[in-house]
Amino acid sequence: EMIITMKNVSKIFETEEMETHALKNIDLTIKAGDYISISGPSGCGKSTLLSILGLLDTPTAGEYFIEGVNVAKLSLDQAAEVRNQKIGFVFQSFNLIDELSVFDNVALPLRYRNEALSNAQIKLLVSECLEKVAMNHRVNHKPNQLSGGQQQRIAMARALVCNPTILLVDEPTGNLDSKSGDKVMDILETLNRNGTTICLVTHDPRYADLAKTKLKLLDGSFLQVPGMRAAI
Ligand code: ADP
Ligand code: ADP
């Protein structure tokens, strides 16, 4: 079952002086349960591709379907709704709210949803996600009382709490020492083993290799690897 299908997606940035073809005719399919890494040198288009996948930006040309729904040309409001329902984001820079406890940081996406959840339901969902990242023992801490690796694990719990169709992960280890980075990558692997679909963007080949499907971008195109399914 394909949850993501991109066909012939291109992205051109136009400035006064120049045009940049950040993505060129990208074909990408992602199935439920996949773990895909996208790696490549600085400027190859990784962030642009992740932004389009996450409906933070739109392609200049091409088709993009999430669970069969054409999302290439949604209005900003429609895109925000699909994003909130179907996409979980993890960024290099955690993006936690310092004034809120771990619990309230993770609960935030649930409280922004339209459907009203009881406090007991919220507590259960938050606790389940903190369990997945081994952080239930820090539920009342504030982010600045935690190590960087722990903050990233809280950010992962927050990304999971609305049960997204896909988890988009952008350089999750960029601000971490190697021990904390390894732990974050271990958790991603466990999440995937338990069914979470993951698309990881990283310039670190060591971490890109941990994914089940390894895609490489160069100058806005996927390098073709014989026998590879995802770069069709
Ligand atoms: P990566 O994440 O692999 O470093 P990016 O996706 O950020 O690469 O960038 C791909 C190309 O698109 C680069 O040449 C970059 O300079 C250009 N680019 C990215 N965003 C913009 C923008 N908003 N305006 C103009 N050019 C951009
Ligand atoms: P883990 O192995 O669970 O990731 P760490 O080695 O990151 O744990 O942290 C060990 C302990 O030190 C934790 O209880 C954490 O709360 C605390 N700690 C780590 N870094 C900081 C920090 N910058 N400020 C406050 N407490 C910290």
Side-chain angles (χ1 to χ4, degrees):
E1 173 208 0
M2 293 302 170
I3 56 177
I4 299 273
T5 305
M6 278 189 170
K7 286 184 196 159
N8 225 1
V9 161
S10 294
K11 180 69 177 180
I12 301 174
F13 292 107
E14 288 188 57
T15 58
E16 279 161 36
E17 315 87 69
M18 60 189 284
E19 273 190 355
T20 304
H21 290 242
L23 296 175
K24 302 168 186 165
N25 308 105
I26 292 288
D27 288 327
L28 175 66
T29 57
I30 302 178
K31 276 190 304 194
D34 273 350
Y35 181 1
I36 286 183
S37 64
I38 298 172
S39 60
S42 180
C44 71
K46 301 185 296 296
S47 303
T48 303
L49 181 53
L50 207 70
S51 295
I52 292 174
L53 278 170
L55 300 175
L56 296 167
D57 203 348
T58 51
T60 309
E63 294 181 79
Y64 178 21
F65 297 87
I66 300 179
E67 293 178 324
V69 177
N70 188 346
V71 293
K73 294 201 168 67
L74 297 180
S75 70
L76 287 179
D77 282 354
Q78 290 169 325
E81 195 176 326
V82 175
R83 189 161 64 236
N84 292 338
Q85 283 178 2
K86 299 192 185 291
I87 313 282
F89 285 101
V90 176
F91 302 98
Q92 177 170 339
S93 57
F94 324 140
N95 295 2
L96 300 173
I97 298 176
D98 286 332
E99 292 71 29
L100 297 182
S101 67
V102 162
F103 182 92
D104 287 328
N105 267 284
V106 177
L108 206 58
L110 292 172
R111 294 185 166 137
Y112 272 120
R113 298 196 110 184
N114 291 329
E115 74 213 70
L117 295 171
S118 71
N119 284 337
Q121 287 171 311
I122 290 177
K123 203 168 168 185
L124 182 66
L125 291 169
V126 169
S127 177
E128 279 174 1
C129 289
L130 287 174
E131 191 66 46
K132 290 179 185 171
V133 298
M135 284 301 294
N136 249 328
H137 60 309
R138 292 291 179 264
V139 67
N140 294 316
H141 281 54
K142 295 276 173 65
N144 63 15
Q145 296 173 305
L146 302 173
S147 68
Q150 292 178 325
Q151 290 186 52
Q152 189 60 294
R153 283 146 60 190
I154 301 306
M156 292 161 83
R158 179 187 55 188
L160 291 167
V161 78
C162 289
N163 194 25
T165 303
I166 187 166
L167 194 61
L168 300 181
V169 188
D170 192 2
E171 298 283 4
T173 60
N175 286 334
L176 303 180
D177 61 73
S178 66
K179 182 167 161 279
S180 305
D182 289 351
K183 173 116 191 177
V184 161
M185 297 306 299
D186 280 349
I187 291 172
L188 282 180
E189 259 187 306
T190 305
L191 289 172
N192 175 252
R193 219 176 299 123
N194 292 323
T196 303
T197 310
I198 298 174
C199 180
L200 165 72
V201 161
T202 178
H203 70 274
D204 188 332
R206 214 165 45 94
Y207 288 146
D209 276 348
L210 298 174
K212 293 196 282 206
T213 302
K214 309 163 212 2
L215 303 181
K216 289 194 166 52
L217 267 181
L218 191 63
D219 292 336
S221 303
F222 282 127
L223 290 179
Q224 295 295 323
V225 178
M228 193 158 64
R229 179 194 56 74
I232 48 176

